[in-house]
Amino acid sequence: MRTVVFSILFLLLIQINIQGQSKEVIQVETNDLTMIFTASQNEKVIFQYWGNKLDGVSSFLDRKVKGQPDTNDDFISQLYPAYGGRYYLNPALKLTHDDGVLTSELVYAGSRTKTLDSNKKETVVSLKDKLYPVYVDIRFVAYQKENIITQSATIYHNEKNTVKVENFASSYIPLHAESYYLTHFNGTWAAEMQMEEEALTHGIKVVESKKGVRTTQSENPSFILSLNGPSKEDSGEVYAGSLAWSGNYKLSFELDETGKLGITSGMNPFASTFYLKPEQKLEAPEMVLTYSANGIGQISRNYHDWARKYAMAHGDQLHPIILNSWEGAYFTFDEKTITDMMDNAAKFGVEMFVLDDGWFGNKYPRNGDNAGLGDWQTNKKKLPRGIPYLADYAVNKGLKFGIWIEPEMVNPDSELAKKHPEWIVKSGKRDILPMRNQWLLDLSNPAVQDFVFKTFDDVVSMSPNISYIKWDANRHVDNVGSDYLPASEQTHFWYEYVKGLYNVYEKIRAKYPDIQIQLCSSGGGRVEFGALKYHDEFWASDNTNALDRIFIQYGTNLFFPAIATGSHVSTSPNHQTGMMAPLKFRFDVAMSGRLGMELQPKDIQGDEYEFAANAIKDYKQIRPIVQLGDLYRLISPYDKNDWASHMYVSKDKKQSVLFAYSLKYHGRTTYFETKLKGLDPTKNYKITELNVKPGQSSFYGNGQTFSGDYLMKAGINLNIGNPFDSAVLLISQE
Ligand code: DGJ
């Protein structure tokens, strides 16, 4: 009863009458955060606030900002600015109407909020053009516990003919501060997710991809925006966004003449005009947003909690330790090579064997990357008893079995390319440019979608003992074009390709909800929430060099959780970089993600064998903390001092594991010191160093008990300081 009275009072409070018009406050709220808009029928919807929850929201109804001298109009921030009216900045929406008019003016047409379940609330704000029958619905889903808000948009119209949609963003966020620091992530093959932070100046900074496929290899569609100074781990206001979309994207940051920053995020409008028919709906993907008043640590924990629950498969279950055959065998293997690898993997305590590239193709055998893609029949010469034999062999050894596919691609030297030239992405009569000797199949075509689904289905159906698929994609789009789409709709390709991919993913997940799928695209070319939703994990990079992985995983884990981050121990010297590193360092790095191995296991002998088997045993002990716990970063590898350290803490704060790495020679007398985070100050914790021989601990207090308060206030020091020294500490409540 009390709640009802309060709700009525609240509604009265936030509705006032301005010149006969009702003005209202719209709030999109999680447990701790809120986005606030004000709206009156037939007026623009104003974006008022995005941050921690606050009292007195009705004050937003009268809020004024300095006006524009020649018109007296406010420099207002809109929820979803369209190109038209007095708007001159980067618009979220730009379209050309049926009659050739270039402008749109979107005004409020109503909103509704509905509880989807105990943790999810949906709010839809409906906008319409002032003059034309064009409608845009802005949809928010607020995830209460995780403090995540997703925003997306849908457009449709009733004009007589087609409307040309030229810009159609997912979200627009206006901010106002003294200064803005943007963190974004650039990369290339084997060096993905390299973090860069810069102070924004007036004008527009754009982070984008036009590659169509493998879009996250060079820039990730995720950002962190810190107000009034560079971002810090545990303090300062930071906003973050990550676009859930597996195609071209554009994030733009426009600092205007009023000192306001407008962040527009969504599909990349480049060469993508969409000819929208009457009644047809076009949907922009979800932008996944969060905020923290206490630095980026909380941002990561919000994303990780949300991703484990809503943006990946099986995020609540422990993920297995894998031996993947790629770096151990590449294309050169036969049945015995593989069964030997399995024998040795099983001895280490590995839990799954994955057969990578090279197992298929007969007329065009897949003995290198130049032939066979598209012909998904087992190569009889290499594997005469077929995949079922290998899958059974694995299971008899106590291992699960997984297998690699790259179903969106085709080698010119393949039966498929000869049979279906019309399925290949091409630009009219221009050359089809190969990349890694392969072409791309046109997923905008439903027949290709069926083929890709069937490939998956057929491969999985080879044996009931296949429980994991590694789905790779090793090129991006160039010389774009589709034989399937009509000439007038070639610009739809970018959108339709991704929709086609999602159709296939949907069908696969409907039929195979339990199978584990790895998201791989030349390493980290598809690390974003749109695709991750259908997968259990991703391969963060083809670079398995532990030193480089510290940086790649640092950037990746700002948004994506450790449970989804495939992280494998490989051989030394490293195949990508030639760098030598001790086995301990390689394990200590890989164990902070989803541990696996990427080598020929028979090469690990003697002391190294003992070490590896023990490390795998220890990983099983710390796995629930790493995979399901909270990440606390202690020292960034990007800091000047060349250390890196982070912890995972179990949700109940009973167990924690700390990783520390020395990235260079620090001198004979310098040691590593850090204060711990995330523990319970009232509890005592016993610290045990893992991956270390008795008597060789780098921690003076190995085996001793300390209070959480002491560990977080006084901290600990470790005797590590040479390049590739490292330590892993298990911290358990007594
Ligand atoms: C690229 C992947 O990232 C590698 O792990 C491996 O699967 C190769 N492709 C196989 O061609």
Side-chain angles (χ1 to χ4, degrees):
M1 181 60 193
R2 258 177 76 187
T3 331
V4 175
V5 173
F6 276 131
S7 305
I8 293 169
L9 271 175
F10 181 71
L11 281 175
L12 286 174
L13 253 179
I14 62 171
Q15 298 227 349
I16 62 167
N17 218 279
I18 302 167
Q19 290 165 357
Q21 269 192 340
S22 168
K23 193 171 181 189
E24 56 185 285
V25 170
I26 303 165
Q27 287 201 78
V28 177
E29 286 187 313
T30 67
N31 282 355
D32 303 319
L33 307 180
T34 183
M35 265 186 199
I36 298 179
F37 318 113
T38 50
S40 313
Q41 286 293 324
N42 297 317
E43 297 287 334
K44 287 170 181 163
V45 178
I46 309 306
F47 197 127
Q48 297 280 9
Y49 178 84
W50 168 212
N52 277 346
K53 269 188 176 166
L54 74 173
D55 290 334
V57 291
S58 59
S59 300
F60 283 112
L61 291 166
D62 297 322
R63 197 173 168 89
K64 282 256 169 282
V65 294
K66 200 172 168 183
Q68 194 166 307
D70 50 351
T71 65
N72 285 332
D73 282 356
D74 284 357
F75 278 112
I76 51 161
S77 302
Q78 293 176 54
L79 161 62
Y80 196 75
Y83 177 66
R86 292 209 192 274
Y87 199 78
Y88 54 93
L89 299 170
N90 226 6
L93 178 73
K94 159 80 185 75
L95 57 80
T96 305
H97 296 276
D98 176 30
D99 60 4
V101 165
L102 298 174
T103 55
S104 301
E105 288 189 60
L106 293 180
V107 295
Y108 185 53
S111 70
R112 56 179 194 276
T113 294
K114 137 167 141 198
T115 299
L116 299 178
D117 61 34
S118 60
N119 193 44
K120 283 191 285 176
K121 261 197 198 137
E122 178 193 67
T123 302
V124 177
V125 180
S126 297
L127 307 171
K128 61 172 192 222
D129 191 282
K130 252 184 175 171
L131 288 183
Y132 289 81
V134 172
Y135 308 93
V136 177
D137 284 343
I138 309 295
R139 177 176 186 259
F140 300 89
V141 179
Y143 296 82
Q144 305 300 304
K145 275 200 232 104
E146 297 79 16
N147 287 311
I148 291 280
I149 295 177
T150 59
Q151 183 177 351
S152 56
T154 304
I155 184 167
Y156 56 98
H157 70 91
N158 285 318
E159 294 195 19
K160 279 206 190 72
N161 291 305
T162 299
V163 160
K164 271 199 267 173
V165 181
E166 288 135 346
N167 278 33
F168 183 49
S170 296
S171 81
Y172 172 79
I173 306 283
L175 300 172
H176 197 205
E178 282 296 307
S179 57
Y180 310 92
Y181 287 76
L182 170 69
T183 300
H184 60 103
F185 305 88
N186 72 68
T188 181
W189 176 77
E192 297 86 344
M193 288 302 275
Q194 305 294 306
M195 185 174 90
E196 280 183 358
E197 185 168 31
E198 63 198 83
L200 292 174
T201 53
H202 287 94
I204 305 183
K205 164 84 191 179
V206 168
V207 172
E208 67 173 348
S209 171
K210 300 194 204 76
K211 290 182 159 183
V213 172
R214 216 166 56 173
T215 53
T216 70
Q217 193 177 65
S218 1
E219 278 281 352
N220 195 278
S222 307
F223 72 84
I224 292 168
L225 200 287
S226 168
L227 299 189
N228 305 324
S231 60
K232 296 198 211 89
E233 193 56 36
D234 301 305
S235 62
E237 280 198 273
V238 272
Y239 294 84
S242 191
L243 188 72
W245 183 242
S246 310
N248 291 347
Y249 64 84
K250 184 169 177 177
L251 316 176
S252 71
F253 303 83
E254 182 169 22
L255 182 49
D256 72 12
E257 63 193 78
T258 69
K260 209 159 48 210
L261 183 75
I263 307 173
T264 315
S265 314
M267 294 183 287
N268 199 329
F270 179 79
S272 298
T273 300
F274 200 95
Y275 297 86
L276 192 66
K277 299 187 184 88
E279 310 288 345
Q280 192 184 358
K281 285 194 169 169
L282 179 65
E283 279 171 36
E286 285 185 332
M287 186 67 187
V288 186
L289 301 161
T290 191
Y291 163 86
S292 156
N294 301 311
I296 58 175
Q298 192 57 50
I299 292 276
S300 300
R301 291 187 287 278
N302 291 354
Y303 276 116
H304 295 174
D305 284 344
W306 177 79
R308 278 188 293 245
K309 198 155 172 206
Y310 298 106
M312 62 182 285
H314 313 124
D316 57 347
Q317 293 163 29
L318 296 179
H319 288 202
I321 302 166
I322 287 172
L323 187 127
N324 185 55
S325 71
W326 182 238
E327 286 193 27
Y330 293 107
F331 293 105
T332 315
F333 57 82
D334 58 17
E335 202 173 82
K336 175 137 184 1
T337 326
I338 300 303
T339 51
D340 282 355
M341 279 178 104
M342 290 183 195
D343 291 344
N344 290 305
K347 284 190 213 145
F348 280 111
V350 161
E351 296 160 334
M352 176 182 280
F353 178 85
V354 178
L355 178 59
D356 208 290
D357 200 351
W359 60 268
F360 51 90
N362 286 298
K363 186 162 176 199
Y364 299 94
R366 182 76 172 166
N367 293 327
D369 63 18
N370 56 338
L373 267 186
D375 302 345
W376 298 104
Q377 295 79 36
T378 310
N379 181 294
K380 294 203 177 90
K381 213 161 149 202
K382 279 181 178 171
L383 305 173
R385 281 180 279 190
I387 297 299
Y389 172 76
L390 292 179
D392 292 351
Y393 192 95
V395 167
N396 289 333
K397 283 275 155 194
L399 297 168
K400 291 184 171 158
F401 184 80
I403 191 161
W404 179 97
I405 55 172
E406 193 180 3
E408 295 154 82
M409 307 282 170
V410 61
N411 284 124
D413 278 349
S414 67
E415 294 181 69
L416 182 71
K418 319 272 179 241
K419 197 166 156 207
H420 284 295
E422 77 286 7
W423 283 4
I424 291 151
V425 172
K426 60 171 96 60
S427 210
K429 295 199 167 56
R430 293 189 196 286
D431 289 344
I432 315 173
L433 304 176
M435 194 178 293
R436 206 196 188 210
N437 300 306
Q438 67 199 49
W439 293 333
L440 179 68
L441 296 178
D442 176 8
L443 265 176
S444 72
N445 182 342
V448 175
Q449 294 169 27
D450 289 346
F451 170 80
V452 173
F453 173 76
K454 190 168 180 318
T455 301
F456 189 102
D457 202 20
D458 288 351
V459 168
V460 174
S461 307
M462 288 191 295
S463 162
N465 283 331
I466 294 177
S467 46
Y468 177 103
I469 292 287
K470 174 174 177 177
W471 180 313
D472 206 347
N474 285 301
R475 69 159 294 161
H476 55 259
V477 187
D478 47 25
N479 257 354
V480 64
S482 161
D483 282 0
Y484 171 76
L485 294 171
S488 57
E489 290 180 7
Q490 290 291 303
T491 48
H492 293 197
F493 174 83
W494 306 106
Y495 179 79
E496 295 298 348
Y497 186 96
V498 181
K499 285 285 168 184
L501 181 67
Y502 291 168
N503 281 346
V504 176
Y505 286 161
E506 287 285 339
K507 269 176 83 179
I508 287 171
R509 276 305 180 195
K511 184 158 180 190
Y512 298 105
D514 297 331
I515 200 158
Q516 291 169 286
I517 313 178
Q518 187 190 73
L519 178 60
C520 174
S521 180
S522 309
R526 245 183 199 163
V527 180
E528 46 76 31
F529 288 124
L532 183 58
K533 188 168 139 195
Y534 302 97
H535 297 77
D536 294 66
E537 59 174 34
F538 50 80
W539 184 222
S541 178
D542 271 349
N543 189 342
T544 52
N545 190 39
L547 180 63
D548 298 315
R549 273 294 182 134
I550 289 175
F551 289 86
I552 292 168
Q553 289 173 197
Y554 179 89
T556 303
N557 295 149
L558 278 163
F559 293 84
F560 307 96
I563 188 173
T565 310
S567 179
H568 294 182
V569 173
S570 64
T571 198
S572 180
N574 181 269
H575 288 188
Q576 292 79 38
T577 64
M579 194 182 270
M580 312 269 288
L583 188 64
K584 171 171 168 56
F585 185 69
R586 287 178 273 146
F587 261 101
D588 286 1
V589 172
M591 281 167 72
S592 86
R594 195 279 290 133
L595 175 69
M597 290 170 106
E598 188 83 23
L599 41 65
Q600 184 48 265
K602 71 168 186 287
D603 293 346
I604 304 188
Q605 298 280 349
D607 279 1
E608 287 211 320
Y609 171 84
E610 291 298 321
F611 180 87
N614 265 327
I616 287 172
K617 200 162 106 231
D618 285 345
Y619 183 74
K620 289 176 185 164
Q621 193 186 346
I622 64 169
R623 172 163 47 188
I625 318 170
V626 172
Q627 296 194 358
L628 304 174
D630 287 329
L631 171 64
Y632 288 87
R633 284 178 294 264
L634 306 178
I635 298 178
S636 159
Y638 287 91
D639 289 353
K640 286 190 295 297
N641 294 331
D642 292 291
W643 308 100
S645 183
H646 59 275
M647 298 167 64
Y648 296 98
V649 181
S650 64
K651 291 282 176 193
D652 60 9
K653 295 191 182 289
K654 287 190 171 155
Q655 289 222 302
S656 166
V657 56
L658 180 147
F659 296 88
Y661 312 108
S662 165
L663 312 185
K664 70 161 192 196
Y665 176 59
H666 286 88
R668 282 190 301 178
T669 49
T670 310
Y671 53 88
F672 172 86
E673 191 161 53
T674 189
K675 289 174 182 160
L676 276 56
K677 292 181 190 169
L679 302 176
D680 182 340
T682 66
K683 296 281 169 357
N684 289 325
Y685 293 91
K686 180 176 173 188
I687 299 192
T688 315
E689 184 163 3
L690 305 179
N691 291 356
V692 74
K693 287 194 182 134
Q696 290 186 1
S697 176
S698 61
F699 180 43
Y700 61 86
N702 191 22
Q704 293 175 25
T705 297
F706 304 85
S707 79
D709 201 37
Y710 170 90
L711 292 171
M712 293 195 288
K713 287 181 178 155
I716 58 165
N717 63 67
L718 298 172
N719 185 12
I720 57 172
N722 286 329
F724 308 140
D725 274 357
S726 56
V728 182
L729 306 181
L730 175 63
I731 301 157
S732 307
Q733 194 183 304
E734 281 287 84

